Amino acid sequence: MVTQVAFIWEGPVLFTKLFEDCGHSCELVTPQLLAAPFFRRKLHGVIIPAGFASPDHCRILTALRAISPRIERFINEGGTLLAFGAGWNHPQAYDWLPVPVTYQYGFAQELLGSNGRHPYARIIEDGDETVSIDGTLNDVPNGEEHVILSAPQGPVLIQVPYGKGRIVITSLHEYPSRHFIRDLYTGGGEGLL
């Protein structure tokens, strides 16, 4: 099964090639397209690349806030949203999500701890002892229950079920493994964005 995935960004990103190589069909969705009343897509996943909250890099955060009801519907219907680190010192960078999560900005190289044997813990390539992060995720709903990977400063990978879908947020500042990309949509549904 080919999964339909949208990358929300202002222009083409090389990151899509990795997802395409793992068998996903990727579409770039710009903030202008998101704002268009005619834009509607049935998708398995939506991906928000790292740095989305940085005003020096893009204007994605404003668009995400404007369409937050559509994002909530998408996830509730069964879609999977994957958001990377905000990349800017803005604790409320994820306030467009239907669940409360705050963000503590800060680049570091860390050895991560895992909470159990969740398949998403495979986001890191086998053999990687330390990884780059751009911050930590705080005020996670239901606390430790949804935390998959943590640095000493706090969580860096969480998964929160929401309706029929799920929200996955990571502040890892490097490409995810192919294992993670292939497993991300296993057993997932789709939603209308």
Side-chain angles (χ1 to χ4, degrees), residues 108-191:
Q109 285 283 118
E110 295 294 347
L111 181 62
L112 303 181
S114 176
N115 184 3
R117 300 183 59 85
H118 195 284
Y120 290 174
R122 295 178 66 186
I123 193 169
I124 302 167
E125 289 292 343
D126 292 336
D128 286 352
E129 291 187 21
T130 59
V131 295
S132 296
I133 62 171
D134 62 26
T136 56
L137 308 164
N138 304 303
D139 304 319
V140 177
N142 295 330
E144 294 300 313
E145 177 184 341
H146 299 305
V147 175
I148 298 169
L149 293 175
S150 290
Q153 306 93 308
V156 297
L157 174 62
I158 63 170
Q159 186 227 316
V160 180
Y162 189 84
K164 295 178 184 174
R166 57 191 157 204
I167 300 164
V168 181
I169 307 172
T170 182
S171 60
L172 293 175
H173 200 73
E174 49 190 63
Y175 285 143
S177 73
R178 292 176 183 275
H179 298 292
F180 172 79
I181 294 170
R182 289 184 191 114
D183 291 346
L184 184 60
Y185 303 105
T186 302
E190 63 182 1

Side-chain angles (χ1 to χ4, degrees), residues 19 46-49 80-84 168-170 176 180 184-185:
F19 280 76
V46 170
I47 299 168
I48 315 297
T80 298
L81 182 130
L82 171 61
F84 286 85
V168 181
I169 307 172
T170 182
F180 172 79
L184 184 60
Y185 303 105

Side-chain angles (χ1 to χ4, degrees), residues 11-12 24 33 57 59 65 67 72-73 77 80 83 95 97 104 109 115-116 128 135 138 141 147 152 159 175 181 186:
H24 304 301
L33 189 56
H57 289 84
R59 295 174 305 275
R65 286 177 172 154
I67 65 155
E72 180 175 8
R73 181 188 65 221
E77 290 177 354
T80 298
D95 63 1
L97 289 172
Q104 178 63 49
Q109 285 283 118
N115 184 3
D128 286 352
N138 304 303
V147 175
Q159 186 227 316
Y175 285 143
I181 294 170
T186 302

